[in-house]
Amino acid sequence: SPHLHLASRLRGDIPEGFAGTLYPYQAAGYHWLAFMKRSGLGSIIADEMGLGKTIQVICLLLDAKNTGHEPSLVIGPATLLENWRREIQRFAPALKVVLHRGARRTGFPEDLRQNHVVLVSYETAVADVSLLRNVTWELLVLDEAQAIKNPYAKRTVRLKTLRSQSVVAMTGTPMENKLVDLWSITDFVVPSLLGSLAEFERHHPETLDGASRLEPILTPMILRRRVCDVAQDLPARIDIPQPLELDSESAEIYEALRVSAANHGQGSLNALVALRMFCTHPWLTNQFTHVASAVDCSVKLERLLEIMEEIVSDNSKTLVFTSYQKSADLLGRELAAQFGIHTDVVDGRTPVEERQPKIDRFTEIRSAAVLVLNPKAAGTGLNITAASHVIHFNLEWNPAIEDQASARAHRRGQTQIVTVHRLFYVDTVEDVINARMIRKRQLAAAAVVGTDGKDADAQDILRSLQISPTNRSQRG
């Protein structure tokens, strides 16, 4: 790749204050991004999912803080903001970060300037564009930049009026459907590079010839590495934790369930099950049943569909694990309706003799496909190496069950790198389960750890009934 040759010639260390370790291709990616920024150019980082676009951009945000005077702005889907906050805190603790959102967010540019990084959702950025225009941002980052692929959308038009020294667009799918998608993102990053939209459509019609004429213009400004390109750098399995936040209405209902559960004493495992089911999808506990669309009352389902967009566009196969039959049916329905791909369910209702034939059908398909599985029913004995993505839609109290489920895809015979996504809500029972899993893994990487009623388990259960999504302090 010309970018990597260029990056290898670029001098300079990883920015001071970075508290992590980069793979060689990530360090090369950071150096390339920094070179583009210092040259006054915008750039598109289009690395495949799992290669760490966020960590490379966090290095760039640190560099922006160390070399510039104004704060940087990160705009992304609401579902990703908590992940950004946590990752910045972890890898760049020197950066002062604020989440600009909610009824109590500031209306004063000076308040925003007190931070190094401002995180904002696309919706809030559009609503507050006149405020955000009052700062000339050191670096403007668009995460999931395909959100502005429609050049006529109000979102695209308004966000293009923001001012910054440099722009980075992050996307695993730079061109989803049409060449115009690429024009829209590129015009945001380097305005007028591809001319006006009318000129672009005249020179680059939706044909192979139109696309091939575009390639040499765009190649210098798009950094695109695929998992297979950098496989020698990577572990055979990439784990991607996906912390999410309940929306305010869901947080209030969760809190009511939690308070009711806490009042029943620490041994209330039934109460914990209800909290876990609510976190999986509110319909499982008969909440929000008046909402017609399953995705409109679940941040987690919204994020699942966002992740699947990229996986499906890459024609990859996915295993989605969930513990509850109602959830399996719901996910099967939503994924089939949204993407029109082969979707099947394997859980306790599936006769044992039918399980392997379902997997064989899934394996034979030559394009994107998804299997929704119960981790206990499908957690042992099945070999599903056709899948390169595993998504845990809800976390298992017993880490061994989750590990066995992930091992359906990540096992001998697997020739691809497997990416494991784990979705969980912060400040809920799922956060405790996630912390417990990290702790248990640190204690005994190989031991099978389950709930055995000992003191540590009782402490986890107690903590699950105490942690609250409504009492969290204003994060910043």
Side-chain angles (χ1 to χ4, degrees), residues 5-183:
H5 294 313
L6 172 65
S8 66
R9 295 203 307 271
L10 301 175
R11 293 287 169 259
D13 298 321
I14 299 304
E16 196 179 328
F18 182 71
T21 308
L22 298 179
Y23 287 112
Y25 75 88
Q26 291 173 329
Y30 158 69
H31 283 127
W32 180 78
L33 290 168
F35 168 80
M36 295 294 275
K37 178 179 174 294
R38 284 176 191 149
S39 305
L41 297 168
S43 52
I44 299 171
I45 178 165
D47 284 348
E48 255 186 345
M49 187 188 294
L51 293 186
K53 292 188 284 290
T54 304
I55 198 172
Q56 294 172 71
V57 173
I58 287 172
C59 273
L60 194 64
L61 288 167
L62 256 180
D63 179 67
K65 175 235 170 193
N66 295 344
T67 58
H69 305 290
E70 294 285 359
S72 295
L73 180 67
V74 177
I75 306 175
T79 53
L80 285 179
L81 298 184
E82 174 62 16
N83 189 58
W84 269 101
R85 192 188 69 77
R86 286 191 174 202
E87 295 287 273
I88 289 171
Q89 217 168 40
R90 178 179 165 198
F91 292 113
L95 290 178
K96 190 178 176 199
V97 186
V98 68
L99 261 166
H100 177 73
R101 61 152 182 219
R104 292 177 15 217
R105 67 187 185 268
T106 186
F108 300 102
E110 271 320 301
D111 290 344
L112 297 177
R113 287 197 181 95
Q114 304 309 307
N115 303 281
H116 299 124
V117 180
V118 176
L119 303 174
V120 64
S121 71
Y122 279 103
E123 288 66 29
T124 304
V126 170
D128 287 7
V129 74
S130 53
L131 167 69
L132 300 174
R133 265 202 301 257
N134 279 300
V135 179
T136 300
W137 304 96
E138 187 66 31
L139 180 65
L140 171 56
V141 177
L142 291 189
D143 196 2
E144 303 280 7
Q146 63 274 18
I148 60 152
K149 68 182 180 187
N150 178 354
Y152 304 106
K154 180 173 80 170
R155 169 191 288 180
T156 310
V157 172
R158 286 202 176 170
L159 295 184
K160 279 187 176 178
T161 65
L162 293 173
R163 299 179 303 164
S164 66
Q165 300 292 342
S166 184
V167 179
V168 173
M170 302 166 67
T171 175
T173 51
M175 193 183 87
E176 289 200 320
N177 299 306
K178 306 191 289 294
L179 293 181
V180 167
D181 300 353
L182 264 177
W183 178 87

Side-chain angles (χ1 to χ4, degrees), residues 49-51 83 238-243 389 419-423:
M49 187 188 294
L51 293 186
N83 189 58
I238 302 168
D239 283 271
I240 306 180
Q242 182 64 77
H389 288 267
T419 308
V420 179
H421 311 255
R422 304 172 65 250
L423 279 58

Side-chain angles (χ1 to χ4, degrees), residues 254 332 451:
Y254 179 94
T451 304

